[in-house]
Amino acid sequence: MAAHSSTDNITEETFLIKYKQKSDEVRDMISKVEQDHQSLVLIDTIQRLGLGYLFQDEIEAILQHQFLATKSAIYDRDLYKASLRFRLLRQQGYHVRPDDFGEFKEDNDGLIKFKDCLIGDTKGLMELHEASHLSMEGEDILHEAAEFSSRHLNAKFASLNDDDEEAKIVIKDCLLYPQHKSLPQFKAKNFLDNLNGDSEWEILLQELANLEFSLVESSHKDEILQVVKWWKGLGLSKELKSSRDQPLKWHMWSMAILYEPTWSKHRTLLTKPISLVYAVDDIFDLYGTMDQLTLFTEAVIRWDISAAENLPNYMKICFAAIYDTTYEICSVVFQEYGWNPIETLRKVWGGLFNAFLVEAKWFTSGELPKAEVYLENGIVSSGVPMVLSHLFFLMGSGLTKETEILLNDSQGITYSVAKILRLLDDLGTAQDEHQEGYDGSYVECYMKGKHVHSIEAAHEHVMTMVSDTWENLNKQCLCSTRSFSHSLRKACLNAARMVPTMYNYDKNHRLPLLEQHIKSMLTDTEFTSSILE
C-alpha cells in the first residue's frame, strides 16, 4: 500500500522518513511539557486532530499524573480547566466523579444552582457542555450542567451579530457536535484549518497532521477501490434495481469505527457484512414474497446453500455472498489469532434474518406490535449486533462464556449501540433516497400503543431514550471493569458516534453531513466523483 498518492518509491520513502521524524519530534515535545493545564490543552489538541492513537503511552502518562494530582488538589476554580480535566480523564477511563462541579454552584434563595457569574465565561461554558456529554445514570449535576450550559450558550449565540461569525460557528459546533459524541477524524481537517499556529508546538502538530491526512487518505482510497470492485463483482446491484447501491457510504461506517491505519485490511473486511445488511434489508422490504422470505430465512439459519436453490436468483447471490464473506472473515481471524468464529457468526446471521422475517410478518398483516416488542426485535434487525460480532473477532477477541454473555447482553455495549441506531433511524424525519419500502418505526408503534397524538411529544420521548442509552453506553465503555478490550470499546463508541451522520437527512433526502465528511477525508474530488457515479 502506498504511503501517499505518489507512485514514486523514492518519494514514498522520503515521505515515511519525514512522517517518522515529525512523530518523534511531537513525542519528544510531549515528554517535556509541564504537567499543568497546558499539558491537558496539548492532549485535547492532539486528539482533536485525530492523532491520539500515535501517542497513547505519552497521553496516558500525563493523564495518570493529572488523576493522582486531583485526588489531593484543592478544587480548580477555573470552569474551563476543571471541565477539560474531567472530560479527558473520564474519556480515558479514569473513575472521576462530577462532584467537583459543585464548587461552581451557589445557594440562590434556597435553590442550589450554577453561579450566575459563569454566564459570561463562554469558553468555560463550552467546555462544561462538552463534559456533560460523558454523563452516566444518576449524575444529576451533569444533567444540570448540560441544561445550564446549553441555555446560556444558545443565548450567547443569539446575541452575536454578523461580525461575530467565527464565534457563532464555534458555539454552534459545540452545541450540535460535542466532542464525545463526534468522530475526531471527521472534524480534524476543519480543526486543523482553524488552528492558529501561534506556538511552536501548534506548528509542529500542524505539520504532522498534514502528513497524517495524506497517509490516511491514500489508505482509504485503496480500500474503497477494493470494496467497490467486490460489490460490483457480486452482481447484486444489477439484480436489485430498486435497492441501495452505495459502497462508499457503507465503507464510511468502517472508516469511522476503525480509524487507525493499521486496521486497513479489517476495515475492508468489515464493510462486506455491513453492505450485505443493507442488501438483505432491501430484499425483505422491496422484493421477496412472504413464502420466499421464509424459505430464505430458513436456509440461512440452517446455513445450507443448497436450500436456496429454488429461490430467486438475487436471493441465491445474496446468500452466496454472505456465506463466502463469513468464511473469508473466519479464515483471516484463524490465521491472525488462532480460532475459528464460524459458529457464532452463523448464529448472528440467522438471528438477523429471523428479526427481518418477524418484521415482514408484522407489516404484511398490518398489525403493529407494542412499542417495546418492536424495539426489542428492531435492535437485532438494525444489523448492529451482527456487525459488531464480526468486529469483535476481527479485532482479536476470543469467545469465552463471559464474552458471549457480553455480546448478547440486552443492557450491554453492542445492544446499546444498536438501540441508538434503531431509535434515530426510526425518528422518520426523512427517508433514504433509494429506499421505497415500508418497514414501520418505533415512533409509530409508540404513538399508537400509548395513544400519543403529538409527533413532537413522540420525538421528545425518543430523544430522551437516546440520551439515556448514551448514559448506559458511557458507563459500559468508560467505567466498566467487566467489559471488552479498550480498542473494541472505542470502536463501539465510534459506531454510536457515526449514527447521527448516517440518518441526518435533509429535505432533499440527502445526507449533507456525511457528504461533508467524505469531502474532508477524500480531498481528491475527481476520485470521489468517479466512485459516486
Side-chain angles (χ1 to χ4, degrees), residues 33-42 62 65-66 85:
V33 71
E34 291 290 332
Q35 286 282 11
D36 57 11
H37 172 64
Q38 188 59 37
S39 65
L40 295 177
V41 175
L42 175 61
I62 290 174
H65 177 88
Q66 290 283 339
R85 180 182 294 109

Side-chain angles (χ1 to χ4, degrees), residues 376-392:
E376 183 179 356
N377 188 78
I379 285 172
V380 179
S381 70
S382 70
V384 172
M386 185 277 293
V387 170
L388 293 185
S389 292
H390 285 71
L391 177 68
F392 173 83

Side-chain angles (χ1 to χ4, degrees), residues 43 52 65 106 149 167 189-190 197 210 216 242 260 266 280 295 304 346 348 400 403 435 445 479 510:
I43 289 174
H65 177 88
E106 63 185 356
S149 58
K189 190 68 168 67
N190 186 59
N210 280 316
V216 171
S242 300
E260 290 87 341
H266 303 80
V280 173
L295 291 173
D304 184 0
R346 281 175 52 179
V348 293
T400 64
T403 54
Q435 190 172 17
C445 294
C479 289
R510 297 178 66 88

Side-chain angles (χ1 to χ4, degrees), residues 231 236-238 240-247 249-250 274-287 356 425 431-437 439 502-503 505:
W231 175 250
L236 265 176
S237 55
K238 293 181 180 179
L240 306 175
K241 298 293 186 182
S242 300
S243 68
R244 288 164 285 190
D245 183 13
Q246 303 163 313
K249 172 184 172 180
W250 301 332
I274 291 172
S275 305
L276 293 167
V277 171
Y278 282 94
V280 173
D281 189 22
D282 286 341
I283 287 172
F284 273 81
D285 286 349
L286 303 172
Y287 290 94
F356 277 134
D425 182 12
Q431 207 172 21
D432 189 316
E433 68 271 30
H434 292 297
Q435 190 172 17
E436 302 170 359
D439 56 1
M502 284 296 191
Y503 294 97
Y505 289 97

Side-chain angles (χ1 to χ4, degrees), residues 89-278:
L89 286 172
R90 176 163 280 194
Q91 73 184 19
Q92 191 75 3
Y94 284 95
H95 291 266
V96 286
R97 297 169 61 86
D99 302 1
D100 288 4
F101 287 115
E103 182 70 12
F104 299 98
K105 300 180 75 175
E106 63 185 356
D107 188 335
N108 192 326
D109 294 329
L111 181 64
I112 307 297
K113 64 176 188 176
F114 279 93
K115 297 176 181 179
D116 289 339
C117 64
L118 301 172
I119 295 173
D121 183 5
T122 302
K123 185 178 180 181
L125 285 176
M126 286 195 297
E127 196 51 56
L128 179 64
H129 186 73
E130 295 283 6
S132 73
H133 283 276
L134 286 97
S135 64
M136 301 176 195
E137 183 181 3
E139 294 185 328
D140 294 339
I141 194 168
L142 289 182
H143 299 163
E144 295 170 31
E147 190 280 329
F148 176 79
S149 58
S150 60
R151 173 158 47 91
H152 291 295
L153 285 173
N154 275 301
K156 178 68 175 179
F157 179 86
S159 70
L160 294 173
N161 56 42
D162 293 340
D163 295 333
D164 300 310
E165 187 62 29
E166 185 176 340
K168 292 176 73 172
I169 291 173
V170 172
I171 293 173
K172 184 179 180 181
D173 186 71
C174 173
L175 289 168
L176 293 179
Y177 311 112
Q179 292 299 311
H180 178 60
K181 294 177 181 175
S182 302
L183 291 152
Q185 60 265 41
F186 288 168
K187 301 179 70 174
K189 190 68 168 67
N190 186 59
F191 182 76
L192 174 65
D193 292 341
N194 291 290
L195 199 60
N196 293 326
D198 293 334
S199 63
E200 184 179 343
W201 65 266
E202 283 187 341
I203 294 172
L204 183 56
L205 285 176
Q206 285 175 323
E207 293 172 343
L208 178 60
N210 280 316
L211 293 171
E212 175 75 6
F213 289 147
S214 179
L215 179 69
V216 171
E217 181 175 10
S218 175
S219 178
H220 287 160
K221 286 166 69 174
D222 289 342
E223 295 161 21
I224 290 165
L225 289 173
Q226 291 177 52
V227 168
V228 170
K229 181 180 179 180
W230 166 80
W231 175 250
K232 291 187 180 300
L234 293 181
L236 265 176
S237 55
K238 293 181 180 179
E239 292 277 340
L240 306 175
K241 298 293 186 182
S242 300
S243 68
R244 288 164 285 190
D245 183 13
Q246 303 163 313
L248 175 55
K249 172 184 172 180
W250 301 332
H251 190 60
M252 288 294 288
W253 276 110
S254 296
M255 287 163 63
I257 294 169
L258 294 172
Y259 174 66
E260 290 87 341
T262 52
W263 292 113
S264 179
K265 178 175 69 174
H266 303 80
R267 275 194 295 271
T268 304
L269 285 169
L270 187 65
T271 300
K272 295 182 178 182
I274 291 172
S275 305
L276 293 167
V277 171
Y278 282 94

Side-chain angles (χ1 to χ4, degrees), residues 357-426:
L357 186 63
V358 168
E359 288 181 351
K361 290 176 179 177
W362 284 339
F363 306 132
T364 299
S365 68
E367 292 293 326
L368 288 178
K370 292 182 179 180
E372 296 80 6
V373 175
Y374 169 86
L375 184 57
E376 183 179 356
N377 188 78
I379 285 172
V380 179
S381 70
S382 70
V384 172
M386 185 277 293
V387 170
L388 293 185
S389 292
H390 285 71
L391 177 68
F392 173 83
F393 292 112
L394 281 170
M395 294 189 76
S397 299
L399 192 66
T400 64
K401 287 185 178 180
E402 184 178 24
T403 54
E404 186 172 16
I405 291 171
L406 289 171
L407 278 173
N408 295 286
D409 183 1
S410 62
Q411 297 300 313
I413 294 176
T414 57
Y415 278 66
S416 293
V417 177
K419 188 174 181 180
I420 290 171
L421 187 149
R422 174 51 65 206
L423 289 170
L424 291 182
D425 182 12
D426 284 2

